[in-house]
């Protein structure tokens, strides 16, 4: 396998990844259930405002406020 073949494979993989989905993606919040409490997440609505944990910074959607934080 030469470099040009690898580049073609990478271009094809990136094109597939960036292609529009055939069906619309609907975000359905999961219920608070996990094998262990530290892995569960609360179904909160996404925020584009300040962070719930640290209001002085904008929300970066880290998910910390949706969990118990451990």
């Amino acid at each position: 396998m030469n470099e040009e073949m690898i580049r073609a494979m990478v271009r094809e993989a990136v094109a597939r990844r960036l292609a529009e989905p055939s069906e619309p993606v609907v975000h359905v919040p999961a219920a608070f259930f996990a094998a262990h409490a530290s892995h569960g997440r609360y179904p909160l609505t996404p925020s584009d405002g300040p962070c719930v944990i640290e209001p002085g910074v904008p929300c970066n959607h880290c998910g910390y406020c949706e969990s118990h934080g451990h």
Side-chain angles (χ1 to χ4, degrees):
M1 187 176 285
N2 62 24
E3 186 177 342
E4 189 55 41
M5 290 173 69
I6 294 172
R7 288 179 185 268
M9 288 172 42
V10 169
R11 277 190 233 108
E12 184 179 318
V14 169
R16 277 195 315 265
R17 184 75 171 170
L18 295 177
E20 292 293 323
S22 58
E23 297 179 15
V25 177
V26 178
H27 176 71
V28 179
F32 183 81
F33 174 77
H36 190 270
S38 66
H39 297 132
R41 293 181 73 157
Y42 297 105
L44 299 177
T45 55
S47 171
D48 287 329
C51 175
V52 175
I53 306 298
E54 192 175 352
V57 298
C59 177
N60 65 1
H61 307 288
C62 68
Y64 191 80
C65 65
E66 297 174 354
S67 69
H68 284 297
H70 51 89

